[in-house]
Amino acid sequence: MTSFTSNTRGFPAPSSSSPTKVSCPTVPPSPYASSTGFSEINWDIFSRSGTLSPSETRILRMAETNPLTYVLVDPGDSVVYVNALVKTLGIESSNEVRHYVLSRVLEVLSCEVKGVEKLFWEGGEVKGSSILLRCVQSSDGWSVKASSCILSHLLTTSSAPSTPALQELIKTIFTILSNEPSMLPRVITALTVVVKGEDGRKECLEQGGVGCLGRFLRG
């Protein structure tokens, strides 16, 4: 269990005994997923429209019929798979498809394959960070929780943090809390993740995070 030391800057800081390996936050299953998983996605629609390439639809299908690690251990297939998930998430489609993609991303980040987070980074930025932020800003509660957990995890487990994206995520979380206080359970996990890091704590303080959270505690 992670322990904390007091911090005069207003947020708890991890103690020196905190583990170096950070697990992706756990998110409850999507309401669209039955006990046997999601219904089959018709990837041919995306392929025929030119949204996804034949190689991308092939990898997406492969990941549905094989253990996920089978795809992720291959250097080439793993990159194509993650790129295909990000690309699909950016398409305006049904909630079920969005839930499917976010669920698969959570599975990727939770698997035991070493260095999977690196698959989501390119040029010092998180792939599809703006797409994930749109999901955080959506009206769908499960998407808000899943995407905020994914983005907070990726932004705090890289040796090259994407400061603008981290700033925007924290700003989005506080905007959500100011406008819809009932959304606290949907974003509190992501907020807890970002304040464990120095950059996240500093940004939260600069955006008035102590006052925002203080209102919840007083309420």
Side-chain angles (χ1 to χ4, degrees):
M1 180 179 294
T2 302
S3 57
F4 294 93
T5 57
S6 61
N7 188 296
T8 57
R9 304 183 72 175
F11 285 94
S15 72
S16 58
S17 61
S18 298
T20 55
K21 180 176 174 56
V22 180
S23 300
C24 183
T26 300
V27 177
S30 161
Y32 287 98
S34 66
S35 58
T36 57
F38 288 83
S39 58
E40 185 175 348
I41 305 295
N42 186 356
W43 298 115
D44 289 333
I45 295 176
F46 298 99
S47 182
R48 286 195 298 268
S49 66
T51 303
L52 297 175
S53 68
S55 61
E56 288 170 334
T57 54
R58 177 184 65 83
I59 292 296
L60 288 167
R61 286 197 178 96
M62 182 188 297
E64 291 179 341
T65 56
N66 294 277
L68 192 55
T69 52
Y70 179 82
V71 175
L72 296 179
V73 295
D74 184 283
D77 287 348
S78 59
V79 171
V80 174
Y81 182 61
V82 167
N83 288 346
L85 288 176
V86 173
K87 188 183 292 187
T88 305
L89 192 60
I91 301 168
E92 291 296 333
S93 55
S94 66
N95 267 348
E96 184 172 4
V97 172
R98 182 170 58 190
H99 281 216
Y100 171 87
V101 174
L102 291 172
S103 295
R104 297 302 275 178
V105 171
L106 286 166
E107 288 180 46
V108 171
L109 294 175
S110 301
C111 76
E112 296 299 320
V113 177
K114 185 178 180 180
V116 290
E117 285 85 2
K118 294 178 181 178
L119 294 171
F120 292 88
W121 280 83
E122 186 173 56
E125 299 288 338
V126 173
K127 295 177 181 178
S129 60
S130 60
I131 298 171
L132 286 165
L133 276 170
R134 287 204 302 272
C135 292
V136 178
Q137 296 163 350
S138 74
S139 59
D140 178 64
W142 189 89
S143 294
V144 171
K145 186 172 184 66
S147 56
S148 63
C149 284
I150 290 168
L151 196 50
S152 65
H153 177 72
L154 290 173
L155 290 171
T156 56
T157 55
S158 169
S159 58
S162 177
T163 303
L166 183 62
Q167 292 173 341
E168 194 61 33
L169 174 62
I170 293 170
K171 178 182 177 181
T172 298
I173 289 175
F174 287 140
T175 298
I176 290 172
L177 291 178
S178 296
N179 295 334
E180 296 184 65
S182 62
M183 290 292 285
L184 179 63
R186 302 293 186 180
V187 296
I188 191 61
T189 302
L191 186 59
T192 301
V193 170
V194 297
V195 299
K196 288 180 181 179
E198 182 68 20
D199 290 341
R201 289 195 298 277
K202 180 180 178 181
E203 189 59 37
C204 283
L205 288 167
E206 289 180 353
Q207 295 197 27
V210 173
C212 179
L213 294 178
R215 288 193 292 274
F216 281 95
L217 294 175
R218 290 193 298 270

